Amino acid sequence: MTAGFDVRWTPEHGPPRAVVFELSEDGKHWLRVEFEWTDEQWREIGRDHVTEVACFGSDDYIAPDGPRPRPVGGEDDE
């Protein structure tokens, strides 16, 4: 299992969305994948590699309901 985290939100107009950051297997970069909820599953709508990621938050974290979006494939699936 790779290290990573996701952020999910529901815009005022439109379906829920998510962005997932996962550390590559070689540990040299991060994969950022964006998803949109289709009422049945998470659909990938974009991805790119990033060199640095920082995550800041508070102790008031609320975990959303539903399945966690997951990137399909990996390094060779671009």
Side-chain angles (χ1 to χ4, degrees):
M1 182 172 157
T2 58
F5 62 94
D6 59 285
V7 177
R8 292 181 245 176
W9 67 96
T10 301
E12 187 173 350
H13 303 286
R17 297 177 77 91
V19 63
V20 174
F21 288 90
E22 287 196 346
L23 189 59
S24 65
E25 289 184 20
D26 63 12
K28 294 182 180 180
H29 62 268
W30 290 83
L31 180 63
R32 183 207 58 84
V33 185
E34 190 171 346
F35 294 89
E36 180 177 79
W37 183 249
T38 68
D39 289 328
E40 294 180 16
Q41 64 184 4
W42 289 103
R43 177 177 66 91
E44 184 177 317
I45 59 174
R47 65 169 49 208
D48 62 343
H49 290 107
V50 295
T51 56
E52 294 182 42
V53 174
C55 181
F56 304 91
S58 70
D59 292 335
D60 297 330
Y61 172 74
I62 299 172
D65 293 333
R68 181 173 188 245
R70 304 294 301 164
V72 176
E75 300 304 311
D76 299 328
D77 189 51
E78 293 183 45

